[in-house]
């Protein structure tokens, strides 16, 4: 059996450190925010190339508060990709604004900057690129368009901790960067968690208040806020795990390299790392025209796979918008039918990768 991810294997590899960190929180009894969260905020912001980090209770909350801090609200439009987890669009909706979709570049699965300008209207407030699967969107043209049209750029880096674009870490390239620490992410908490990273101290101050009931100080509520605080336990665990992230990221990249080499020139074809990016392989995706058959054949051989995402956001019942119909985003819609993700986590062994690839070759050559 080769699982899709193996959170237990990772816990066992750092058990002593994690258990000690949890004990510190129990002794201090700072269960919500507190010292461990504050230290983690500083450490993770620095790691991501930003000046400020504000810990929140999920990546969705990070996106919601980043949008609010940027002044996005009812009647506004935010340009984003339909090929993402629904949280990206949901967070835009929470502010009262409307997501306006732009198709992806098929090679990277990320928003195509060349299509952005045509989607800008006088209601557009922000561009929200998603660094899907762990690879940065093409940020330079996005920033250039945003500057010309006076738009805020909010990065959805929920899948892309430690990813780089032209040598810069994602999350601090745009005006605000949003991360998720959901357990299966490259840096995962043992529960929910998220963070906004920014170099802008006004945004940081506002988000710090918004996540904690809009309080300037205790019981002085200057903004209508939220209970989006990060728990002390998660801060302590994430501090431990951050110390291992670089090693884990390199392990993911080595696994991807092995997959690439073994899959070269064959079907299904593998996802690409673009030359000016550091892909962190949250997801290792392949494309196949017979996804259902291939997934079933791998399952029979004890190999778990995933389908991120089978239905693009503009075709999800909950996010339907009469402006966006089936057929509007051909690259997104095709990817949603073809993408299959293979087992990918730092603790994966080389012989497991070899087993996956052998099974893929057998299954794709008809040996089901
Ligand atoms: C691209 C993307 N955006 C946003 C989110 C939301 O993060 P969370 O689950 O922590 O709310 C996720 C995580 O699932 C994601 O993958």
């Amino acid at each position: 059996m080769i699982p899709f991810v193996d959170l237990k294997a990772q816990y066992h590899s750092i058990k002593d450190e994690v258990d000690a960190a949890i004990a510190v929180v129990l002794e201090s009894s700072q269960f919500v925010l507190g010292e461990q969260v504050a230290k983690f905020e500083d450490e993770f912001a620095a790691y991501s190339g930003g000046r400020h980090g504000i810990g929140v209770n999920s990546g969705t909350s990070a996106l919601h508060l980043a949008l609010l801090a940027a002044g996005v609200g009812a009647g506004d439009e935010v340009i984003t990709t339909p090929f993402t987890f629904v949280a990206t669009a949901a967070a835009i909706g929470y502010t009262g604004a409307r997501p306006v979709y732009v198709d992806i570049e098929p090679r990277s699965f990320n928003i195509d900057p060349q299509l952005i300008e045509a989607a800008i209207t006088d209601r557009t407030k922000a561009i929200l690129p998603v660094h899907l699967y762990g690879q940065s969107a093409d940020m330079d043209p996005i920033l250039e368009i945003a500057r010309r049209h006076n738009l805020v750029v909010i990065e959805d880096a929920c899948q892309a901790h430690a990813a780089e674009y032209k040598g810069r870490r994602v999350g601090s390239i745009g005006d605000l960067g949003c991360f998720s620490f959901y357990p299966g992410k490259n840096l995962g908490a043992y529960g929910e968690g998220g963070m906004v990273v920014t170099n802008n101290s006004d945004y940081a101050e506002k988000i710090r208040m918004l996540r904690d009931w809009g309080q300037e100080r205790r019981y002085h509520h200057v903004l209508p806020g939220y209970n989006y605080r990060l728990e002390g336990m998660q801060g302590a665990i994430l501090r431990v795990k951050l110390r291992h992230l670089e090693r884990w990221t390199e392990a993911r990249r080595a696994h991807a390299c092995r997959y690439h080499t073994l899959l070269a020139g064959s079907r299904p074809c593998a996802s690409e790392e673009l030359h000016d990016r550091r892909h962190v392989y949250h997801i290792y995706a392949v494309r196949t025209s017979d996804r259902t058959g291939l997934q079933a054949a791998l399952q029979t051989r004890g190999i778990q796979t995933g389908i991120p995402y089978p239905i693009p956001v503009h075709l999800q019942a909950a996010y339907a918008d009469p402006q966006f119909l089936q057929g509007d985003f051909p690259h997104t819609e095709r990817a949603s039918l073809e993408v299959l993700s293979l087992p990918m986590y730092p603790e994966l062994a080389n012989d497991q990768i070899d087993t996956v690839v052998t099974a893929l070759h057998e299954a794709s050559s008809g040996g089901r």
Side-chain angles (χ1 to χ4, degrees), residues 58-61 63 84-85 87-88 130 132 156 158-159 180-182 185 192-193 309:
S58 71
T60 310
S61 301
L63 287 164
T84 181
F85 183 58
T88 314
V130 178
L132 203 76
D156 182 337
C158 287
Q159 301 186 2
S180 164
F181 304 121
Y182 186 74
K185 296 290 197 270
E192 304 276 358
Y309 300 93

Side-chain angles (χ1 to χ4, degrees), residues 184-203:
K185 296 290 197 270
N186 289 25
L187 181 61
Y190 290 166
E192 304 276 358
M195 192 176 293
V196 183
V197 170
T198 182
N199 284 315
N200 180 315
S201 35
D202 293 336
Y203 289 156

